[in-house]
Amino acid sequence: KAGVTQTPRYLIKTRGQQVTLSCSPISGHRSVSWYQQTPGQGLQFLFEYFSETQRNKGNFPGRFSGRQFSNSRSEMNVSTLELGDSALYLCASSRSPGTGRPPNEQFFGPGTRLTVL
Amino acid sequence: GQNIDQPTEMTATEGAIVQINCTYQTSGFNGLFWYQQHAGEAPTFLSYNVLDGLEEKGRFSSFLSRSKGYSYLLLKELQMKDSASYLCAVRAMNTGFQKLVFGTGTRLLVSP
């Protein structure tokens, strides 16, 4: 069974640009969560999607947005990039909430490393 | 809100035992997770505790005390490949089912 895939793996942008990252969950998983990982802050939750609906959102500015498609694939978009947006962006997928043990076992993708110059 | 603390870095030698502590403050606690993350790779699930006590899985064990807001990950018979960051994460019901709040991670260096 293929794992979570993220594209692109590496990305270099300049301040003010916008970027779109893609995540394909494990087949059969309908929940996708996004996290930002930086050395100083660790992993921080961005948002979660389930059945094409945003179910939960972290404390990030409106420049960060996302969506989920009917096939459960998800994208996140960051507009007007800032230097501080340089980070590893991780996507995690899981089955429908409440199933399995642990009920929230998330499988992470390899991440997209974004560098903003 | 939630607050999670774990040591930044630890060192140990091959074959030894190491305990990585995690303390948390949260309301509506609904589970604590430990993940392992090797440099440049995705985090991988290690353990899950929702009730007090010890969960053992091979060389790895995880303990939880909900009354103390405390957990630890115990690694036995350390191997070089155990050098990685270990992330403690808490789920709280009032933050939504899938949202995990992570600590900043403990970098473990295993030396020969």
Side-chain angles (χ1 to χ4, degrees):
Chain A
K1 195 181 216 184
V4 179
T5 58
Q6 292 186 245
T7 56
R9 293 293 311 278
Y10 301 92
L11 204 51
I12 299 175
K13 292 284 189 178
T14 56
R15 277 182 299 175
Q17 288 187 306
Q18 68 96 26
V19 67
T20 299
L21 312 181
S22 180
C23 170
S24 292
I26 292 171
S27 177
H29 285 193
R30 294 169 61 194
S31 175
V32 173
S33 298
W34 288 89
Y35 294 86
Q36 181 195 65
Q37 187 174 32
T38 57
Q41 298 293 320
L43 264 162
Q44 295 193 79
F45 175 80
L46 280 157
F47 24 67
E48 174 223 341
Y49 287 88
F50 177 72
S51 293
E52 302 178 63
T53 303
Q54 187 180 90
R55 296 275 291 255
N56 212 346
K57 192 175 190 303
N59 298 323
F60 277 82
R63 301 185 296 108
F64 291 80
S65 63
R67 58 178 176 168
Q68 186 180 35
F69 302 95
S70 58
N71 61 358
S72 295
R73 190 177 70 84
S74 178
E75 288 181 347
M76 68 162 280
N77 184 278
V78 188
S79 62
T80 320
L81 283 166
E82 301 176 0
L83 295 179
D85 297 333
S86 294
L88 181 67
Y89 289 88
L90 290 161
C91 159
S93 78
S94 58
R95 295 186 182 277
S96 305
T99 61
R101 186 187 185 280
N104 191 37
E105 182 172 0
Q106 297 186 355
F107 296 84
F108 283 85
T112 294
R113 183 162 297 281
L114 171 65
T115 301
V116 182
L117 302 175
Chain B
Q2 292 82 35
N3 190 42
I4 300 174
D5 288 311
Q6 48 181 134
T8 304
E9 199 167 282
M10 297 182 71
T11 58
T13 53
E14 211 172 1
I17 299 174
V18 71
Q19 177 175 312
I20 302 174
N21 296 324
C22 171
T23 57
Y24 64 89
Q25 293 174 309
T26 188
S27 57
F29 175 84
N30 197 36
L32 186 143
F33 297 75
W34 284 95
Y35 281 83
Q36 180 191 59
Q37 185 177 27
H38 284 99
E41 298 182 12
T44 55
F45 170 80
L46 284 179
S47 69
Y48 168 72
N49 296 71
V50 67
L51 300 176
D52 289 352
L54 191 68
E55 292 275 345
E56 295 184 85
K57 192 188 292 185
R59 294 188 299 114
F60 292 15
S61 304
S62 57
F63 171 83
L64 175 68
S65 168
R66 288 172 298 170
S67 62
K68 294 180 180 174
Y70 168 69
S71 172
Y72 68 71
L73 179 70
L74 193 70
L75 293 75
K76 303 175 188 174
E77 301 169 17
L78 280 173
Q79 303 175 8
M80 298 295 289
K81 67 178 182 179
D82 297 329
S83 292
S85 286
Y86 291 85
L87 312 175
C88 171
V90 168
R91 187 180 74 209
M93 284 308 292
N94 59 357
T95 62
F97 195 89
Q98 302 288 45
K99 178 180 176 181
L100 295 180
V101 179
F102 283 82
T104 52
T106 298
R107 192 184 318 165
L108 174 66
L109 179 62
V110 180
S111 56

